[in-house]
Structures are given as structure tokens and as C-alpha cells.
């Protein structure tokens, strides 16, 4: 943000270590809040490895974390109260940045819901 911006970024405390969807479902924002962004450290697998993951979520996380082809990344999902949205992902290795709302549609939906509650 530049000095002429009408927006003020405010860092919030970390969310509880529980299920992210449950934590987001309990968040509401006052009218003055124009938008929010959520930053996550994630593990990315190639499509062939994703097909081999167990169905159970905790087992899938554990398997992904140990997979030899995993890559660590940072994902930022952001929404504006008035309807804008974006997702950006950067792999830890290299300078490649991917911007595409289809990276985390469920997360964007959950963030939008924090403005409609």
C-alpha cells in the first residue's frame, strides 16, 4: 500500500490450530473492514502424487508432508467486501508466482462468508 491509500493493513493474531473452515465460520467483520487476506504455508504435490493420497484428511496431510516430490509454498487468499478476490501462490524454491482464483476456491468462499454473517 502506498501513502495515499485509504486502506490500513492490520495483522491479526494467528487462527487456532483447529479446522480452518470452523475457525473462519466464526469470524465476522465490522462494516469498516474492506477486505481480508489469509496467508498459509502449504505443501504442493504434482497431480500424479495427489491421486495417490489417502481419503482421510489427517493421513493425506502426513503422506503429503513426507512425499519426495512435495514442494513447500505460501498461499495468500484475499477477498474484498465489495466482491473482489484473488489467490497468489509462491513456491519456496524459485521465484515463480502463480495468481489464479482457482487455486483455492473453497478458501475464497469461506473468506467471503466472513463478510455475510
Amino acid at each position: 500500500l502506498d501513502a495515499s491509500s485509504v486502506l490500513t493493513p492490520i495483522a491479526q493474531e494467528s487462527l487456532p490450530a483447529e479446522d480452518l473452515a470452523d475457525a473462519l465460520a466464526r469470524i465476522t467483520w465490522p462494516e469498516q473492514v474492506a477486505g481480508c487476506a489469509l496467508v498459509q504455508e502449504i505443501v504442493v504435490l504434482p497431480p500424479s502424487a495427489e491421486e495417490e493420497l489417502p481419503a482421510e484428511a489427517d493421513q493425506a496431510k502426513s503422506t503429503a508432508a513426507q512425499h519426495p516430490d512435495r514442494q513447500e509454498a505460501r498461499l495468500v487468499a484475499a477477498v474484498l467486501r465489495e466482491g473482489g478476490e484473488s489467490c497468489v501462490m509462491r513456491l519456496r524454491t524459485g521465484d515463480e508466482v502463480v495468481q489464479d482464483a482457482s487455486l483455492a476456491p473453497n478458501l475464497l468462499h469461506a473468506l467471503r462468508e466472513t463478510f455475510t454473517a
Side-chain angles (χ1 to χ4, degrees), residues 9-38:
I10 300 172
Q12 297 290 307
E13 295 180 23
S14 296
L15 292 173
E18 62 195 55
D19 182 73
L20 180 58
D22 289 341
L24 290 175
R26 292 191 304 272
I27 293 176
T28 59
W29 303 104
E31 288 297 318
Q32 301 89 333
V33 175
C36 66
L38 179 78

Side-chain angles (χ1 to χ4, degrees), residues 4 7 12 35 45 49 52 65-66 74 77-78 80 92 94 101:
S4 66
L7 300 176
Q12 297 290 307
L45 296 175
E52 300 168 5
Q66 302 302 318
R74 177 169 287 158
L80 294 173
R92 288 216 181 239

